[in-house]
Amino acid sequence: MPPSSEAPESPPAVMFLNAADPSGAAGLSADQAVCAAVGCHALPVTTSIWVCDTAEVFDIVEIDADSVVEQARAVLQDVELAAWKVGFLGNVEVVSAVAELLADYAQLPLVTYVGNLQALEESQVEEYIKAMQELVLPQTRVLCGNVTALSQFLFPEVEREQPPTPDVLMQQAQSMGVQYLLVSGVLVPENHVENVLLSPRRQLLRERFEMFDAGFSGAGDTLSAAVASLLGTGAKLDQAVHEALEFLDQSLDFAYRPGMGNLVPDRFFWAQTGPEGEGDSISPVGLQ
């Protein structure tokens, strides 16, 4: 049957510029799953391809910068965008091309995620970080990452025994044009971690969770994708981050191991049946 002329209103569309992850753990795989789970429509743009498993990235297949931008612009001419997220862009040329694209839609909330850059060669890491700092961070509303990754990204030339405090990270991020910073994985006593949302003036949110004694692939992409998607629904920043953190915590609670590597967050934990198998489902964060 043809679609009804009175079809439901489309959900908010969120564009993700990230690497394709064939293991299904991180990158665009995580972005699309999270976006769907919180009720948005994902627009995935492939910026590079990881050769990886659920434990590590072995190699990166680069994609031409023009091809990345052509993917995005073709969709942007057709679908109205509510928000977007930048993940791993692959190389300096793609960073530059994506930055020009972002500048054409400066009114939209941009979430930038800083992950592990270990698959890049040392010389590439330095150039990549510099390009991101100069071209993408000034356009970023929310910069996300765990405290270790952010420390290496914001202070690449400084070696520390301990990572800087979230406030110090925020000061550095602000100097590069970032409006807000979400720092995850800050170790605190009694086997807990804290996640802190900051503005240049103050801490806006601080939430503590029990530490998981396990390794995960895709946790950071899960959190940042949730923030971007929830901002796309029109949620205020502090509420979006609160719900995204709850979403991540429950995704990790229900994590599974599809291979021999790390655990993968279950972004559809809310669709699981109750403990008695009676079909009682858990409501997804943000959709109660």
Side-chain angles (χ1 to χ4, degrees):
M1 293 179 60
S4 168
S5 59
E6 298 181 357
E9 184 179 351
S10 298
V14 182
M15 180 168 283
F16 299 92
L17 299 107
N18 209 347
D21 177 359
S23 78
L28 286 177
S29 299
D31 292 335
Q32 292 178 85
V34 171
C35 188
V38 301
C40 293
H41 177 73
L43 305 173
V45 174
T46 305
T47 59
S48 59
I49 302 170
W50 287 334
V51 179
C52 66
D53 57 18
T54 56
E56 62 180 306
V57 178
F58 303 105
D59 198 7
I60 299 170
V61 179
E62 295 188 347
I63 294 179
D64 179 74
D66 289 340
S67 298
V68 173
V69 173
E70 286 172 5
Q71 291 177 71
R73 290 205 182 277
V75 179
L76 290 169
Q77 291 174 6
D78 177 45
V79 180
E80 183 177 356
L81 195 62
W84 45 14
K85 169 194 158 179
V86 163
F88 180 69
L89 296 182
N91 59 46
V92 172
E93 288 74 22
V94 175
V95 172
S96 179
V98 166
E100 291 185 20
L101 175 71
L102 297 172
D104 292 339
Y105 299 85
Q107 76 280 9
L108 297 174
L110 170 64
V111 175
T112 299
Y113 168 59
V114 175
N116 196 322
L117 303 177
Q118 64 180 7
L120 291 175
E121 296 181 3
E122 188 172 345
S123 60
Q124 293 176 309
V125 170
E126 182 179 347
E127 294 175 353
Y128 181 84
I129 290 177
K130 183 178 179 180
M132 288 289 292
Q133 288 179 347
E134 294 180 353
L135 302 175
V136 175
L137 292 196
Q139 305 185 63
T140 297
R141 181 171 300 182
V142 187
L143 178 64
C144 299
N146 70 49
V147 64
T148 301
L150 285 170
S151 177
Q152 295 170 346
F153 185 82
L154 294 173
F155 298 96
E157 298 179 357
V158 180
E159 294 186 6
R160 304 171 184 262
E161 292 185 4
Q162 297 293 331
T165 65
D167 293 300
V168 170
L169 291 171
M170 179 69 248
Q171 291 173 9
Q172 182 74 347
Q174 181 192 12
S175 72
M176 298 174 182
V178 173
Q179 296 181 42
Y180 301 96
L181 181 68
L182 175 56
V183 185
S184 61
V186 180
L187 297 178
V188 292
E190 299 181 1
N191 203 35
H192 282 71
V193 294
E194 285 189 339
N195 307 284
V196 187
L197 174 66
L198 306 99
S199 75
R201 294 184 177 182
R202 62 189 180 92
Q203 293 186 6
L204 303 175
L205 186 73
R206 178 184 288 269
E207 298 196 5
R208 178 175 294 197
F209 295 90
E210 186 175 353
M211 186 187 301
F212 290 92
D213 186 19
F216 297 93
S217 288
D221 274 314
T222 299
L223 177 58
S224 52
V227 173
S229 299
L230 290 163
L231 288 176
T233 68
K236 292 183 178 180
L237 178 58
D238 56 349
Q239 183 64 22
V241 170
H242 168 71
E243 293 184 357
L245 288 169
E246 292 287 343
F247 183 93
L248 173 64
D249 188 54
Q250 293 183 73
S251 295
L252 299 181
D253 234 357
F254 283 82
Y256 54 90
R257 196 184 306 274
M260 296 181 291
N262 295 320
L263 292 166
V264 174
D266 185 353
R267 292 102 186 184
F268 293 96
F269 61 86
W270 46 269
Q272 301 289 347
T273 57
E276 301 301 324
E278 298 175 352
D280 296 328
S281 62
I282 304 167
S283 297
V285 173
L287 298 179
Q288 283 89 349

